């Protein structure tokens, strides 16, 4: 599961489910609009941009998710 954030880094705010795109809401772990926005495990999304700072982050249609942490832990992978 991956938090959806306002920016590329853990210092950025975690969005609420109500702030996700229609498709993003379908893949959220909660349907509560006031809950933290968390994509379910194995969610496939379009990476609009890859940011190489504070780890590696992907800009999805709903916000930013970490795909590789600064420690080297991999949270996401490219799907073809």
């Amino acid at each position: 599961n991956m938090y959806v954030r306002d920016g590329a880094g853990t210092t950025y705010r975690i969005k609420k489910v109500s702030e996700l795109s229609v498709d993003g809401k379908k893949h959220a772990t909660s349907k509560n609009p006031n809950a933290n926005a968390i994509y379910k495990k194995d969610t496939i999304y379009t990476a609009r941009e890859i940011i190489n700072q504070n780890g590696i982050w992907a800009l999805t249609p709903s916000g930013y998710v970490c795909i590789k942490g600064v420690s080297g832990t991999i949270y996401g992978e490219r799907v073809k």
Side-chain angles (χ1 to χ4, degrees):
N1 297 345
M2 297 179 286
Y3 287 113
V4 182
R5 296 182 179 270
D6 273 344
T10 57
T11 58
Y12 288 91
R13 181 181 72 85
I14 298 168
K15 290 186 163 193
K16 299 296 181 190
V17 171
S18 62
E19 298 174 275
L20 297 177
S21 67
V22 172
D23 194 55
K25 289 176 184 172
K26 292 178 187 175
H27 297 284
T29 58
S30 175
K31 300 301 176 198
N32 179 341
N34 296 314
N36 284 337
I38 305 171
Y39 283 155
K40 295 175 189 170
K41 183 179 180 195
D42 297 326
T43 295
I44 296 174
Y45 54 83
T46 300
R48 294 180 170 176
E49 182 181 0
I50 301 295
I51 298 96
N52 289 297
Q53 66 183 44
N54 302 316
I56 301 174
W57 293 78
L59 173 58
T60 75
S62 292
Y64 294 84
V65 295
C66 183
I67 53 178
K68 185 175 182 182
V70 292
S71 67
T73 302
I74 296 173
Y75 299 103
E77 61 185 81
R78 184 177 182 176
V79 178
K80 294 180 183 179

